[in-house]
Structure formats: C-alpha cells, structure tokens
Amino acid sequence: MSDLTKILLDESELPTAWYNIVPDLPTPPPPPLHPGTHQPIGPDDLAPLFPMALIEQEVSAERYIDIPEEVREVYKLWRPSPLYRARRLEKALGTPARIYYKYEGVSPAGSHKPNTAVPQAYYNAQAGVKRITTETGAGQWGSAMSFACAQFGLELEVWQVAASFTQKPYRGSMIRTWGATIHSSPSDLTEAGRAILASYPDSPGSLGIAISEAVEMAVKDEDTKYALGSVLNHVLLHQTVIGEEALKQFAKVGDTPDVIVGCTGGGSNFAGLTFPFLREKLGGSINPRVIAVEPAACPSLTKGEYRYDFGDTAGMTPLVKMHTLGHDFVPDPIHAGGLRYHGMSPLISHMYEEDLFEAEAIGQVECFEAAVQFARTEGIVPAPEPSHALAGTIREALKAKEDGEERVILTALCGHGHFDMAAYDAYFSSELHDYDYPEAKIADAMSRVPVIDG
C-alpha cells in the first residue's frame, strides 16, 4: 500500500475503450417499448432523436467499444482525472477506513458530464447534424454539452429546470459563454411547456418536463437531434472511463476497495464509477459492497416501483422498465438539481433487481453537513449531487470505526460546487430543510403510469 495522497495516470494510460456491462449480466435487461404500440422498439424508432452510431451503442452486445481518437484528444484536456486519498477526512472522522475519491471536477465544465457530452457531440457532427437540443437540471449537463458542441461546431439549445435556472444563474452564464442558448423550463416555446404552465403557472419544473421540451423541438427539425445526459445505456457506457482509470490507479497503490459509494439521480456517474469494478466482481477477482445513494425527496430506487414508464413528463419518449416515481411527478426543489429525476436508468434499475448493489436515501441536510466537513478537510467544495455520496461514505467510515475494522472506501466526487454557493448559504443560514417523502404526490403520479405486462 502506497503513502501517496494524489494518484495520477499519464495521458498514455487514458482508456482506449468504453466498457459495456450488458454482456456480463446474469440476465439481459428488458427492452424499451414503443409508446404507441407497446412493442419493442428498433433503431428506426430512435433515428429522429439520435445519430445511428449512438443508437448502435445503445443496443450493443459488445463488451468494449473503441473510443475515437478525436474524442480521446478532447478528453486529454482533463483526463485521466486524479484519484485522491482523503487522509484529512479520515483523521477528522477518527476512522481506520482508508477513503479514496475519484475527482471529476477537473473537467472544463467542472463535472463528469463531458465524458459523454464530448462523444455525443462528436457522433452528431460525424452524422452531419447541425443543431442539438437537450435538458439540464443543475446545469452540469447543459454546460458540459455546450462545451462539447463548441469543440465540434454544433449549435445547442438547452432547457433548464426552472428551480435550478433561478438558483444557479451562473451555470446559464457558462452555457452562453460556450455559445449555446438556454431557456427556463417549463417554457412557452413548446406545446409541452405551455401545457404545464397553463395548469401550474409557478411550476418549479423537473427533468421530465425539460426532456419533453427538448425532445419536442428535436423531432420538429430534421437537422436537429436530441442529447441526454444520463439514464440511457450509451451515456452510462461513455462514463466508464471513470472506473477504468480508477482500477489502474488502485493497482498503482496496491489497494482494493471494500466499499464503493456513488450518488444516483439518473445513474450515469454511479455507472461510470462502479461498472468496471462490478465487471471484476462478476469475474470473481474482487468482492466490494456497492452502494447507490439518492435524495430522500426523490427516492426512485428505494421507493419507486419497477415497471415500464415514460422517460419524460409528456409521454413522448419510449417506455422503459425502470424504478419510477411516475413520469409526471415533480420532485420538491432540493438543491441537488441533477438528482431531481422521476426515474432511474433502466440498466441500473435492472441491476438493482438482480441484487448487484445496495441503495439508500439520505436527506439534503445530512448531505450538506458531509459536504462542509469534506470541504474543511480536503479543500474541495463539492456540488450538492456528490454530497449524497459523501454522506454515504462518512456513514461507512464511521461504521468501520464502530466495528474497529480497516476498510477501503471508494467514492466519486463527480463535480465541484463553485456554482452552487447559494445552496451553501441556505445551509449556513438554517434555511435548508429536508423534505418528507411525498407519498401522496407519488401515488397520484403512479396512477397515470401505463399498465404493461412484463
């Protein structure tokens, strides 16, 4: 075991392929269904939204997919990202656990999101697409996609969830700096947005609503495609550069994680960190516990039903089998805007049903307590989203202390919180509160989820 605090890789060690976990799973995940016929969809059904290269990745049965050299060249602006040993946090907790975190805040956009934004922009550009539409919650995805589109000469139009549009104005400034256009969602620019505003003029918005608006605008123009920042298989695939690098970094220091903790909203960061380690676990070489941590106000894994539902509020997307709280459920406006999504990635939902990892929900006050403790020991101010993983990590470290056992804990700090300081101000002024699980609201939303066998 090394005494290094910062574990680095050379550019030459940047992964050359993304890892697709689907071929290694005990059973295949259920297929997406056409929203009209409820029959399995084919590539032609997705063609209005995505270029064929991404559709092929979405349904691929190959374990590895080569990363194009043009994508790797952009990746080299910040990858490989560092793995840190959190020695000061360990000392503050008085734990015998060794805590490591893979830090994705070194990217130009400040999060893990460019890992998929860059290849999505690349494949769209290769297909001759001129314009992309997308949604964003906290703004991490919108800023990542605007950065990526700037690299490949694409126009971008972003719909940002209204609550985050108001809370995080400088994310919008960053998006505009990279040349994209941004709107608060719900907006009066789309039929989906106008319908929501007619019923709920003060709607805080949701990722489901913003997706509906972006999809609607994409399908109206043959030169426009849509990009999604989480949930789908090809997005999770691109994020596996995180875990692949982390495996190499652990080999450098001669350590192996006993526990891996990641935050989950749509699932891309969690997948990116854990899938390569789960490959090794399924192969029998390691056996870590893997824990997904989600917001108590939007607990799709721990409280949602596993069934077919729409990925968007207006019901325009294919039906996917996932842990869902109901496609028109609007979560309370917690500050972890990137985790305010009604459903969980279908692939991650399937793996949860296969008992390949655990899940827990934590309220935002405990998460911000963890974030502040991390900032005061390790120096990095975390975004609200990974504060959930940090809260879960601290729980595990304190349990190791209680049990008197050494354990190696790995987590992903998937972004910094430099654009989230209003949330920290709310925490310090005691204006940040936990939201109760909205049982009645979710039951109402679930009553409108399609009933589909299978």
Side-chain angles (χ1 to χ4, degrees):
M1 184 181 64
S2 168
D3 60 356
L4 291 173
T5 295
K6 182 167 61 175
I7 302 99
L8 302 175
L9 298 176
D10 295 327
E11 280 187 5
S12 62
E13 297 173 282
L14 181 68
T16 58
W18 296 298
Y19 167 59
N20 178 19
I21 198 171
V22 172
D24 290 335
L25 296 178
T27 60
L33 305 180
H34 190 282
T37 66
H38 294 179
Q39 296 301 306
I41 62 172
D44 290 345
D45 295 308
L46 295 174
L49 294 178
F50 307 109
M52 191 53 63
L54 291 178
I55 295 172
E56 290 171 354
Q57 291 180 6
E58 183 68 21
V59 300
S60 177
E62 298 295 322
R63 295 182 79 231
Y64 296 98
I65 294 175
D66 290 340
I67 303 174
E69 190 56 36
E70 296 91 333
V71 172
R72 294 181 80 247
E73 284 303 311
V74 180
Y75 275 175
K76 288 176 184 177
L77 292 174
W78 75 97
R79 303 214 69 87
S81 67
L83 178 72
Y84 288 96
R85 171 84 181 271
R87 296 180 185 276
R88 290 172 176 79
L89 179 61
E90 294 169 9
K91 183 177 180 181
L93 297 172
T95 179
R98 298 192 294 280
I99 302 171
Y100 294 86
Y101 62 95
K102 182 72 166 157
Y103 184 44
E104 294 295 297
V106 294
S107 79
S111 77
H112 67 294
K113 292 293 187 178
N115 296 332
T116 184
V118 171
Q120 288 195 52
Y122 166 77
Y123 288 118
N124 274 283
Q126 290 293 105
V129 175
K130 305 299 183 187
R131 177 171 168 266
I132 293 176
T133 63
T134 196
E135 79 297 321
T136 194
Q140 300 272 22
W141 170 244
S143 52
M145 199 66 211
S146 58
F147 156 73
C149 285
Q151 306 310 304
F152 295 102
L154 297 171
E155 296 178 21
L156 177 68
E157 195 164 5
V158 181
W159 274 262
Q160 183 174 20
V161 174
S164 292
F165 186 88
T166 301
Q167 289 171 353
K168 308 172 193 298
Y170 295 118
R171 275 287 165 194
S173 300
M174 177 179 266
I175 287 168
R176 295 182 193 97
T177 299
W178 275 313
T181 303
I182 184 170
H183 312 289
S184 177
S185 173
S187 74
D188 61 3
L189 301 171
T190 66
E191 292 180 19
R194 288 190 291 271
I196 295 292
L197 290 172
S199 300
Y200 308 101
D202 297 323
S203 171
S206 71
L207 281 168
I209 295 170
I211 290 170
S212 292
E213 296 203 83
V215 167
E216 179 183 325
M217 295 300 283
V219 298
K220 287 180 178 179
D221 185 349
E222 62 180 18
D223 291 327
T224 300
K225 297 293 185 186
Y226 167 70
L228 188 65
S230 192
V231 177
L232 296 178
N233 291 2
H234 68 268
V235 181
L236 276 55
L237 171 82
H238 299 154
Q239 293 292 352
T240 58
V241 291
I242 301 172
E244 295 287 23
E245 289 179 3
L247 279 167
K248 293 180 181 179
Q249 287 161 317
F250 269 98
K252 278 183 181 276
V253 295
D255 228 340
T256 303
D258 300 304
V259 183
I260 304 174
V261 185
C263 65
T264 46
S268 68
N269 162 68
F270 177 77
L273 177 70
T274 63
F275 280 10
F277 285 92
L278 284 169
R279 175 191 64 218
E280 303 304 311
K281 180 174 182 174
L282 289 166
S285 61
I286 59 174
N287 190 32
R289 286 175 57 224
V290 179
I291 306 167
V293 184
E294 61 184 1
C298 193
S300 57
L301 274 176
T302 55
K303 296 287 189 179
E305 295 183 29
Y306 184 53
R307 57 191 286 188
Y308 275 100
D309 195 7
F310 296 104
D312 71 312
T313 298
M316 300 173 65
T317 61
L319 290 156
V320 292
K321 195 166 188 181
M322 62 181 176
H323 285 266
T324 180
L325 302 170
H327 60 274
D328 61 2
F329 167 64
V330 178
D332 287 311
I334 58 171
H335 282 279
L339 305 185
R340 291 180 67 248
Y341 184 58
H342 67 272
M344 181 54 59
S345 155
L347 181 53
I348 288 177
S349 294
H350 173 69
M351 292 169 63
Y352 186 56
E353 290 295 305
E354 295 281 329
D355 294 323
L356 293 177
F357 64 90
E358 308 166 25
E360 61 186 18
I362 301 180
Q364 65 177 352
V365 172
E366 181 181 345
C367 293
F368 271 85
E369 289 172 351
V372 169
Q373 185 170 28
F374 184 88
R376 291 177 179 175
T377 52
E378 294 299 312
I380 300 170
V381 178
E385 290 79 15
S387 73
H388 292 71
L390 292 174
T393 295
I394 289 173
R395 284 185 178 186
E396 291 297 317
L398 292 177
K399 188 173 186 300
K401 178 181 178 180
E402 181 182 326
D403 295 341
E405 293 181 2
E406 287 190 13
R407 285 175 200 149
V408 178
I409 305 170
L410 168 64
T411 192
L413 184 56
C414 61
H416 64 64
H418 298 174
F419 293 90
D420 303 288
M421 299 317 296
Y424 281 88
D425 286 345
Y427 170 76
F428 291 126
S429 60
S430 301
E431 295 173 1
L432 193 77
H433 305 292
D434 287 332
Y435 290 92
D436 293 331
Y437 170 62
E439 194 165 346
K441 285 173 62 179
I442 291 172
D444 178 60
M446 290 301 299
S447 71
R448 290 181 290 280
V449 173
V451 178
I452 298 172
D453 294 331

